[in-house]
Every structure is written in structure tokens, then in C-alpha cells.
Amino acid sequence: MSARDLISGEADVDSQEDDESFDEETGEVRRKTNGVNGINGHIEDSSEEDDDDDDEEAAAAIRKDFIVEDDEEPEERERRRRERKKRRREEREEEEAGLDEEDLDLIGEANPDFERRTPSEPKLKRLKRGHKEDRDGPRSRGIDHIFDSEEEDEIDYRNQRQSHRADPRNQPDEFADFIEEDFDDRDGAPDDDDADVARPAARTYTGIKDAAGLDEAALEDMKEAFGEGDEYDWALNIQDQEEEREQAVFDSEDPEAIAKGLELKDVFEPSQLVEKLLTDEDNEIRAADVPERYQLARAPYKDLILTSEQFKEEGIWISNLLWPRKKIKPTLRDPFRKAVAKILEFMVANEYEVPFIFHHRKDYLIHQDRVPVTPNPNDPGAPGFENDAAKLLDQDDLWRIVDLDLKFRALVVKRNALSETYRKLQDIVDFHDEIFETMLPAAITMEELQDAQDYLHFQHASKMADLAALNAPSAANGTHRRPGSGRALFDRIRSSNVYGLVRAFGITADAFAQNALKEGRRRYTEDPVSHPEDLADDESIMDPPEYATGAQCLKAAKAMFAEEIALSPKMRKVMRKAYYQDGVFDCFRTEKGLRRIDEHHPYYNFKYLRNQQLTDFSAQPDLFLRMIRAEQEGLIEIKVRLQNEESFKKRLYTEIESDNYSEIAEAWNRERREVLDVAFLKLDKMMARGIKENLRNECEDQIAKRCRDEFARRLDQAPYKPKGMVFGTAPRVLAISNGAGTFGRDAICWAWVEDDGRVLENGKFTDLFLGDPERGQEDSADVKTFVRLVERRKPDVIGVSGFSADSRKLYKLLDDIIERKDLRGPIYEDDDNNDRTDKLDLVIVNDEVARLYQTSERARLEHPGFAPLTNYCVGLAKYLQSPIKEYAALGNDVTSITLDTAQSYVPREKITKSLESVMVDYVNLIGVEINDALSDPYTANLLPYVCGLGLRKAQQLMKVIHLNGGHVINRAELVGDADQQRLGAVGGRVWANCASFLYIDYDSSEPEADFLDNTRIHPEDYDLARKMAADALELDEEDIDAEVNESGISAVVRRLIREDQQYKVDDLILEEYAEQLETKNNLRKRATLETIRAEVQNPYEELRNNFALLSSEEVFTMFTGETRESLYEGMVVPISIKKVGEDYIEARMDCGIEGTIPAIDISDRPDVAPRSLYQQFQTVQAKIRHINRKTLTATFVMRENEIRNPVKPNHDRPPEEWDDEQERADKESMKEKNDVSGRTQRVVKHPLFKPFNSAQAQEFLGSQARGDVVIRPSSKGIDHLAVTWKVSDNIYQHIDVLELDKSNQFSSGSTLTIGGKFKYSDLDELIVNHVKAMAKKVDEMMLHEKYQNGTKAETERWLSTYTEANPKRSVYAFCIDPKHPGYFFLCFKAGQHAQLQSWPVKVVPQAFELQRNMYPDMRALCNGFKLLFTNMQHGKRPGR
């Protein structure tokens, strides 16, 4: 075979090639004319079904729904077993009834008139035929094909020829076109491996007579010759019994079934079970009658049972933490504490979730007082008081209580663990530590508990070691941890004579800390009678050989005393209090940050920040989080110090020093001060670390709260409401977008979405523009098409959005079309009952959800044939119809939406938790129609957020409802009914949580339907609602009993609705009724009664706000990606010149904003024409003079004097908060370094030029995208420039550019050369035609199927593994060469026992270079490599 055949074969084989290609943006179909025919039809399948493979069938049963139904009744299982047995028997008889070739031959001999049918050629979907020479027959594979990139197992030629034997599978199949089989386009038929395991096509025989065309006599002859076919029924019966026993439905209560049945973990990987929520833990959550969110949150503390005393303590603990944030009257402190305690009781004892408490226990969130009023002489019957209600807790407070409950549980767990450790220590040695015993019960924070733990481990280190030895089975098994050297050292000091010198300091660490805390009676310090050095030299103190001198003893004693002070819980409390009150933060730039953080860097506003207090960060939490991020990047260092450190230390000195006046007292006081200084340093580091961590958590919580509030604002909007529509109903939407395309050039896609969410029509406009009647210019054809579409579909609203500023032009065009063509919205009745219609609504839609939807797997499954831009339009339309459903459909991806500029500094888990809570709030506000959720997946997405439910319980709920018949009539059905054989979907406690938030549309024709099930009224309050309905109808007891006896318990409410007299409940006086309930039944139901009154009149009324239209600022940010902080007037930016006129220039920014520059602002030389200075497509620097944020336009100025004086970001701060001196010193230092380098500091007028060296350029490009560029000065002289571009992560190529034809040493050369081969006229041309061209080649290489994303060693291991698995195959792959930027390795192995080899591949503009040969693309490179290797087989050449 020739090399031409090899290359052609490579080019033709493409596993991803289809008959039709699609434009990724617009979905435009481009037909290929390569002669490949697509043939649809049936598929021959020669595989055999193994009916004995019971395990596989059981596994398939599990895979079907991921859950084996184990709750069927025995009778149901027996019925299903009989049906399966009968079905298999019928299938086997039909299979045996099929006539093979020999049967038909015999029939043909007996019946000469019998004609055998010629089977038609089987039709294959999208079968591709190769070239003629490829179809002539099977080809041998020699060395020419060793590196074919595809698996080229030849198709058995018998499958390509028409068989002369009739195949019973060619009989008509009524399901033939139900599933389209997609095969590899290279072969046009299934792979042999697939054929071996595929199941046979369904046979739909109509019997032997119909299949063979026999009459009755011939059929009888055949039966006599071949029998009835039931000779082996006895064997088949045995087989059926074995299958039924092994395939029996798994019964969790049957020991034999447990022993033999399959489990999910036997079929699926653990990761799959976790992904599908089918682990044992997930099943336990489903089964437990506890709200799912409580189970997940309390899982770490599931074994903790709070005592009554701890429960009371928790209520006080939480109320003390919440109270400082509440802005309510101080007199309400006690009611507030009681309210918190009651809420905790609901959450812990009753296990009610937040939505239930907020909606059905609202009276406990409000405190109401009766305030006496002055009697009104004109109204003697008026009450002498009025109610003064104060809201104690809101919904955010309830979620805060949930979080604090978890923190208190963690506190109790740690406290219990410490208490248990202390008890075990007492079991070993009978002792008492008064400090620990006093402090442990009083600890109310994790920090204080940690202090207690540190104290215990330090003060009783030897006992802790003994306890650890007792707990370990063997000290030699490696589980026993030896104490640290520091603790061991202090333990030796404590047990030695040197500790007597510690006592000689005259005061204990605890006593000193008590003095500093100002608690209790002051402890005075006593001085020894000897000088410190003399006492240290005493024989009673020295403890040879370790402490053989007085100096050693004194040093050890001071270290011991300092450690005791540092580990004193009371002293830590003193320091912590001081740091929280007077601590300040200072930022110090590092050497790395000195050059990296310039005036335009986002971190510059805190580069020299000083003296920031905690209260400053509470107002700017994002500032501190950015400081933390900068510190993690090594750019700054955050230091925490006491604002009045010296005065604070002096105060501490007075608490530890003695009051005596003598030389000895002064000597001891000096030693005490030195000890305190050492302890202070230790405490300072500890406090700084703890405060930074606590402040970081607090700032993260504030940002998460801001994200929660912003997400709540986006959820708190009903579907878009055109005039005349009922508030809360979904509109019919026509959504249109040009995506990121250029307006007037690229296609515009649209989608029509009905009010039920179905996408009925979509398309695109390629030529949409209005004509000019004054000039005789007609409208384009697409304008007429658009008008006809609107008139035919009659949308309620048109939604527009996109990815660029050009979308604003599309909006303007559509608005003009609607205005000029007088397109009207839906007809509605005005206040005078007259029909009217208004101009068709046109809105710009928030596209944050649509952007995520357009390329998602969900969009691909819902609309497999749609282009991404069409899916984007669908997302826009559905957002207009129901924002909350679109957000719910995102799942965990909702965190991808930017809700706050500082969101990226907060852990994703914290943001997810915060957003989930607000989603729960609003889903339970609007409720979920349970029957809609069963049929609509978008409504089903809301179920996990229903009170009491979650992902697992929502799945279980829907599954059980389907088992019960697939329809719910009333809420009571959800808990099941054994008498009616109805399974319970939820337990009683979960049902109590979720019942009122799952509603059922009322159907008066259904006897079991209850109108109250269509309201927010909880079933526990149905009796109250029925009583109010009876009172509204003025029915007495006898009337009520008669109604109930005749029509059931809900008869009175039915009558109220039937007679349309709901308005009468407004006449009821609910205040007296509420007082009676509270007095007689101890039930606080005032707010509940108001809810009942509202719901009876308007069930599940829409309580959200109107659909929120985007403001001009939000539209500006959405279309441009810029904010007021990132783009402002006076800023110097790069612009691209679109057009150069006689006296103006039109330009465009990267963000899409367009603008003009008048001649006066183009140059400082007005006598020079703009065309002589600038040309089209040139990129230049310009200063923004004005921005119109509504029209997305701007005006610029390009004069040199303006560009030299840009408006800098405002970093002005008070002098005490900014280190101006350090800032000036750094600027001088940078200037001196530049001068000392001896390099002329060039300034090139180009937006990509940076005064960087190579290291700085690489650091700058580190966070940029692949292919980004920096132009910088070159160390080779003033006639050189360096261009650094990012090849891949941590790989950068530095290109030397020689400048020729320079007019002076500071100007840029008019000719730029690279390596003497490539010449360019300016930097823009060099970047586009050289750097970007190479970047495209790198992308092409790294996206190729043969590229391995790993090191050379990993690639070679992969090659070796492949050839071991396929000994007769040869394989090659590409990988990047990190040591030589711009180069790749081509690694290959020509067989299992061949040597691994590699050749270098160089990336050059527009090509790849291999062995000095140029190849324009990857296909040519692969073919060229194969050709080179083939030609080199006779001449060995080293590959390394």
C-alpha cells in the first residue's frame, strides 16, 4: 500500500464526524458533500439472549430505578411472577416457531407454489460508506498501518453480503423506529465486541402460518414431520423455577433472600452510589421520620442527648449571642429569651423546621402587650386598651438559631470529652484541680474549652501520658503518641528541685491572671529573702546534671513560669478581651508584593494600610478577606497588635510585681517583668492567630449573608405579568438573542415557549433590519417573518438578552419594529370592562441562569437538537415564566452565579448552605402543587426544598406516590393507609412539617377532595378553619352535624365555597376567638386565624413581589462585564479603531462599548489628519471622557497630555490609616533599582506593554488564560523587545524581537523581526500573526485526541500499558515539553516489545515542525509522522 493510501485513510477516518455539522453558536446546519450516505433502518443483531443469566437480570432491575422495590405485597409478587413465567414461555414458543432455512427448503420441496421472500437490505442509521477501494474486500494490515489512530477491526464479510437464507429477524417490527441506534460512522455497523453482547431485536411474529405462507394441510404435514415443539417442556419448567427463585424480588425480612439476593453495592461502584444517594446512610435518612436537613446537620452529634439543664443553658447561650444584634427595646429582654427557648423546643423536641415555625408558630415570634388608653367619651363601648405588638424574631433569626444550635452541640461534645478525660485521670490518681473544675463548666466558647484542654495537657502531662498508655493495648503497636519535647521538658522541671525557684517568684500564674482580670480579692506578691541569683545557686534548687549551675536553674524557672502564664486560662481571657477591644491590624507588603502590587492592582488599597480596628472590618468584610487572600499569595503580611501595648504591659507589670522597696524586691520584679515579656510574646502570637481566624469567619459569614439577601431579592419575584394577566401565572414568551455575535452580521436565534414551559418552535434571523421609507428602502425579509411570527403566536412578552453590548442594539431594533409595526400584546379588560390591548412588552432579561443552561447536560437532554444559543433563548423564556424554578434547577451550580463581588473569597460550602436556606424560605412561601411535581421535572426540582424534605426524601415521596397510583387527592394520603393498602410516602413527623406546603388543586367533583388542602392552612388547624366557615355561614350545631353527616367532615367548607360566600369570614371577630383559644386550650393562634381568613378567600395567594426589571446599571454590567469600580471616567484603556474619518475616529473597547473621538481630541497636533496617524483595526490607548451607561456608548480622548494624567483609583485615607512615608520610600527604592540596573527604561505605547522583567512577566501571566501576552523591555538593548506569552500552566515562552528602522533610540522600529525568519510591521501584527497563531496551534495540539495531559514519563507509561493490553498494536501520543516552551514530545511504541521513542515537535506560526518538515494541522502532522516512520524502517535513527 502506498503512502497516499495511508494518508487518505487517516484523513477519512474520523470517529466524531457526522453527516451534518452545526454552527456551535447558531446551530446552522452545513451539509457535507463527501458522498457519504446515511441509511436508516433496522439493525441485524446476531447475539443470543442468555435467559439463565439471573444475576444480570436482577442487576438490570436494580439499574432501572436504582432502587429495588422491596415493599410489594406477597400477592402482588406472586402475580408478577406468574406473568413473567407466562411471558417467557410465550417468547420461547415464538422463537422455536420461527422457521430456519432447512425448514423452508423442505416446505418448498413439498409445495412448489411456495415462494420464499427475498429479505430486504437491512437499513442502518447514519451508515457511512468509505471509498470504493475500501469496500472491495478485506485489507491486510502491514507496517503501513501500525499507527492507525482508530480501532480498525475489519467487519466480517459475511455481514456485508446478502444472505441467501431467510432470517426471521427481518420480519416487520412495530418498534423498529422507536429507538435510533447510533453506530460509529467509520464502519457503518456495530463493532464485533458490541454484537457479541447485544440482545436480539424484538420478534413480533404472527405465527408460523403467517410467517411461511402455509395453508392448513401444509402446516399439518410440517407438524407431523417436526412435532408440536413441546417435547422439552419438562426441562423448561425446571429452568423457569430456577429463574424465578433466583430473580425473586428482594425481601428485607426474608433471611434466605438476604443471603442470596443482590444488593446495590454488588452492582454499582461506591462513587455511583454516593452520586445517586443510594448508600446505606442515604437509606437511613430516607427511612428516619426526621427532617432530612436536621439529620444531615446533626449527624456529627447524633449520639448526643442534651440534659434538661443543658437545654436551658442553650436557650440562654443563644439568646445572649442574638440579643446584641437585635434593635428592640431593652424591656423586652426577658420575652426575647423566652421566645428563643420556645423556638429551641420546637426545633429540638418537636423537630419542626424553620418554615413550619415561621408560618405556623408565628405567634411565638411576636410579643404583644396591652397598653391602657384614655377612654373615648364619644365611644363608651370602646376597649380601654390597645395591643402593642413587637416582633422578637424574624426568619433570618430562626436560621441563625439552627446554626447556633449546632455550635452549642459541638461545644457540649467537647466539654463532655474533657470532663470524661478528667474523670479518667482521677481514676488513675486521686487528685483535684480546682482551676480546671471551676473553669470547665463556665466555658461558653470553643476558645475557652481549648484553653482548658491546653491547661489540662500542660499541668498534668505525666498523668495524661499514663492515661494514654493505659488506653493503648500495646505501647509497641505504634498508636501511642509520645509527648512533645517541650511538654516533657516542663514536666521534668515541675518534678525537679528547680520548681522551687518557680514558687519563689511569689505569685502563681493563676493568681496573677486573677489580678489582671480584676476578679475577686487581689493576690499580693511575696519576695524571697534572697537575691534571684543567690537562690538559684542554692543546693536545694540545683538538680544536676541537667541543672548544675544557678544560671541554668534560673533560666529554666523563668521559662517554666512564662509557660504557666501563657497557658493560664484566665490570662488568655485577659489577653483575648484586650485584643478584641483594642487590637489593630497593620498591613506590610512583602518583597514580592513590592513590585507586584502597583497602583492599578486591586490590592493596592491596603498595601500600606495601618491601624485598622475590628469595627472597621465589620463595615467592610470584603476588605479583610482580600487582605487574607493577598497574604496567602505572599504579597502582604497582616500583623495584629494592641493599640496601647506599652501601657497595657505596664498595667500588667503592676499586677505581678511586689509592693516592697528593696534591692532584692527590685531584682525579683525585674525577673518577673522579663518572664511576663516572654509570656506576652507567646500570647501575642496566639491571640493574633485566633483573632485573625475568628475575624475571617465573621467576615465570611457577613459576605454569605449578603449573598443570601441578594439571592432572596432574586427569588422574591413572581413570573412576569403583562397587563390583564392574573398575578402569578406564567406568560407565553418569545425569547430572542444574538449571543456574542456582532449585530447586523451574525445570526439571531429565537425560541417560542408556551406558558406550560413547552418549547414549540424555534428558529433564527439572518437579515433583520428595518428599511427607510423616506429613501425607498424596504424592510428585510426577516422583519416580515418576525411580524408574522408575533401575529401568529401572540406572545405575552418578548425577552431579549445576550453576551455583549451589541445586544443593546438588538433591543433597540426590536423596540423600533414593535413601534413601527404596531405590534400589540394580549387583549384584556380594563376597569370599565372594555377590551383593550397595549403595545407588546419588550424586556431585557437577566441571563445568569440561561448562560449556565445553554451548554449544560440538562439542556442537551431536554433539547438534543438545539444549538447552544437556542438553548440560551429557552433559558431566558423560562426565567420570565418562573425565576425560582430556574434557580432550583441549577442545584449546586447556583453558586456559580455572582451575587456579591467578594463571593469568591468565601468557601463554596458556606455559600451553598446560605443559598439553600433562602431557597427553602421561598419555596415554602409559594408552596408546591404535588401532582404537578409528579409530571413536571421543573416543579419536582422544588420538592427537596420543601419543609421536612430533602433530596432523598423528595425522591422517596415521588416514588411512593407513583406506587400508590401516581395521583394525590388529599394531604392525608401522604402518610399512607393500611386499610386501603396505600403506602406511606412520609412519616408522621415529616408530614407535620411538609403538609401545608404541599397543596392539591381543589376538584369539587372528587368526593375525597378537601378545599383546605389547596391552602396554606396546616391540617392541625383544619378544625379552626371549619369552625370559622360555620360561623361565617351562621350555622348552629345542628346544622353543622347535618352537613357533616350528609357530606363528610369538610362539608361546611365545601358549602362555603360552593355558595361563593368566602367574603363572610371578613365579618368574624378573631380577637375574641384567639383569646378563648389561649385561655382555654393554651394555644396562641392569633396569627394563624388571620392566615385562615386570608387563605379561605384566596388560596395560596401569590405573595412575592412583581417581576424585577433590570436597572440600567445591571444591564450595563450584564452586557459589558464592567462595574463602576472597574470602568470609570478618566480611566486610560486600550481601544480598537473601527473607522478613521476626516475629522473623527470610531473605536470600540474590549467590553463592547463603542465611542467616538473628535479631531480636537485625537492628537496634540491639530494640523495632522487622523488618517496619517492611525489606521483601522489598530489598538491604541485612550482616556475615557464620558460613559453613557444606558446606551453603552462612550467618548474618548487620545491626546498625549491627557493620557499621561489618568484619574487614579481613590485610595485616600486618613494619615493615621495609611503609611505615606513607606509608600514614598518604596517608590524611591523602585526608581533607584531601575537606575542601578543600567537599563534604559523604555515606555512603549501599547496596552500590553509592561515594565517587567522575565520573572515578573511570568508571575503576571500566571493567573491569565493560555495565549495571553506581555510585551516588555529586553535586556539585549534598546533595539530589542521581549514578548512573553503563556503556553500552558507554568510554561512561558520568551521571544526576542529585533527592532529595525528606528527613527530614534526611544521609538519603536518600523520593522520587527523574530529569529531572522519572521518580519512584522508593528506589534499588533506580530501578536496576531505570530503569538496568537502559535497559541492556536498549541490549542489544536492540546485538544487533539492523541494528546496526553501529563508528563513525558506518564505518557510513556500509558503507551507501555496500552501495548501490553494490545500486544499486536502500535500506539503514539503527544505531550508537552515543559523544559522547552513551544515544543511537544511525540512519543511512540511500535509494538509490545519495541523500544519507547520520542521526537520533538515544534510549534511555529500556522504550522507544526517535525524533523524539519512543516505540517499545517494535526491531521497532516499525524500522517506525516507515519510516513516518516515508515520510510525510516530501513535506516535506524535514534529517537531520543
Side-chain angles (χ1 to χ4, degrees), residues 418-482:
L418 283 174
S419 179
E420 181 66 14
T421 300
Y422 184 67
R423 185 191 62 77
K424 290 180 179 179
L425 288 178
Q426 289 180 316
D427 292 342
I428 298 174
V429 181
D430 186 14
F431 78 100
H432 289 280
D433 190 317
E434 184 179 350
I435 295 176
F436 183 83
E437 292 176 358
T438 303
M439 187 190 62
L440 185 62
I444 59 173
T445 66
M446 293 299 290
E447 293 172 324
E448 293 178 353
L449 285 178
Q450 187 62 44
D451 294 343
Q453 179 176 320
D454 292 344
Y455 170 83
L456 187 66
H457 281 259
F458 170 74
Q459 200 68 27
H460 306 284
S462 60
K463 301 183 185 68
M464 293 295 298
D466 295 339
L467 179 62
L470 287 175
N471 291 337
S474 172
N477 63 1
T479 60
H480 175 55
R481 294 182 59 188
R482 298 180 60 185

Side-chain angles (χ1 to χ4, degrees), residues 171-410:
Q171 297 296 329
D173 187 352
E174 63 180 318
F175 298 109
D177 294 326
F178 183 70
I179 299 176
E180 294 183 353
E181 303 289 350
D182 290 340
F183 292 129
D184 196 307
D185 294 341
R186 298 165 298 178
D187 300 328
D191 292 340
D192 293 343
D193 294 341
D194 295 338
D196 290 340
V197 298
R199 290 189 175 275
R203 298 174 175 85
T204 56
Y205 298 121
T206 56
I208 300 174
K209 179 179 177 181
D210 295 335
L214 304 180
D215 55 17
E216 295 292 341
L219 187 59
E220 289 297 329
D221 292 340
M222 188 199 70
K223 288 184 178 180
E224 291 178 2
F226 302 106
E228 296 286 346
D230 56 0
E231 292 82 359
Y232 298 99
D233 279 357
W234 60 275
L236 297 176
N237 288 332
I238 295 176
Q239 179 180 340
D240 288 342
Q241 294 171 6
E242 184 68 20
E243 289 177 354
E244 291 159 5
R245 182 170 65 255
E246 295 186 3
Q247 295 181 0
V249 177
F250 182 75
D251 186 354
S252 59
E253 299 180 359
D254 185 0
E256 184 177 355
I258 295 175
K260 294 185 178 181
L262 284 172
E263 295 183 2
L264 291 173
K265 61 184 178 182
D266 299 325
V267 181
F268 300 104
E269 294 291 334
S271 60
Q272 291 178 295
L273 295 178
V274 172
E275 180 184 358
K276 298 294 183 181
L277 305 177
L278 293 173
T279 63
D280 293 339
E281 293 78 9
D282 295 319
N283 292 330
E284 289 176 3
I285 292 175
R286 287 188 183 89
D289 187 19
V290 179
E292 182 172 326
R293 274 174 286 275
Y294 279 170
Q295 292 189 61
L296 294 173
R298 297 171 181 172
Y301 322 110
K302 60 182 179 181
D303 297 328
L304 175 66
I305 300 177
L306 296 176
T307 64
S308 59
E309 291 299 322
Q310 289 174 336
F311 192 75
K312 292 179 182 178
E313 180 191 359
E314 180 180 7
I316 298 173
W317 184 79
I318 292 178
S319 63
N320 289 339
L321 291 175
L322 291 179
W323 177 255
R325 302 188 181 193
K326 302 299 293 183
K327 296 179 181 180
I328 53 181
K329 294 184 292 187
T331 55
L332 297 177
R333 180 70 180 265
D334 189 58
F336 178 80
R337 183 172 295 177
K338 291 180 180 179
V340 171
K342 191 63 178 179
I343 297 304
L344 270 177
E345 180 183 339
F346 291 145
M347 290 180 176
V348 178
N350 303 118
E351 292 182 325
Y352 291 146
E353 276 208 277
V354 169
F356 177 91
I357 297 172
F358 183 74
H359 289 278
H360 303 301
R361 297 293 184 269
K362 192 172 294 185
D363 294 273
Y364 294 92
L365 309 179
I366 302 170
H367 177 72
Q368 187 169 289
D369 282 329
R370 289 189 173 183
V371 180
V373 295
T374 304
N376 185 358
N378 299 325
D379 187 6
F385 62 89
E386 63 181 9
N387 292 322
D388 181 20
K391 191 174 184 179
L392 301 177
L393 296 166
D394 56 26
Q395 202 161 5
D396 287 351
D397 293 329
L398 299 184
W399 286 109
R400 176 75 173 149
I401 291 174
V402 172
D403 291 337
L404 291 175
D405 173 59
L406 299 177
K407 291 182 179 180
F408 184 81
R409 290 169 184 263

Side-chain angles (χ1 to χ4, degrees), residues 32 196 285 562 714 717 1219 1296 1413:
K32 297 185 178 180
D196 290 340
I285 292 175
R714 302 188 190 187
Q717 52 179 337
D1219 195 338
D1296 178 42
N1413 298 304

Side-chain angles (χ1 to χ4, degrees), residues 768-785:
L768 188 69
F769 67 88
L770 278 171
D772 189 347
E774 295 180 357
R775 297 182 180 180
Q777 185 180 18
E778 295 185 356
D779 299 334
S780 67
D782 279 342
V783 170
K784 301 175 183 177
T785 304

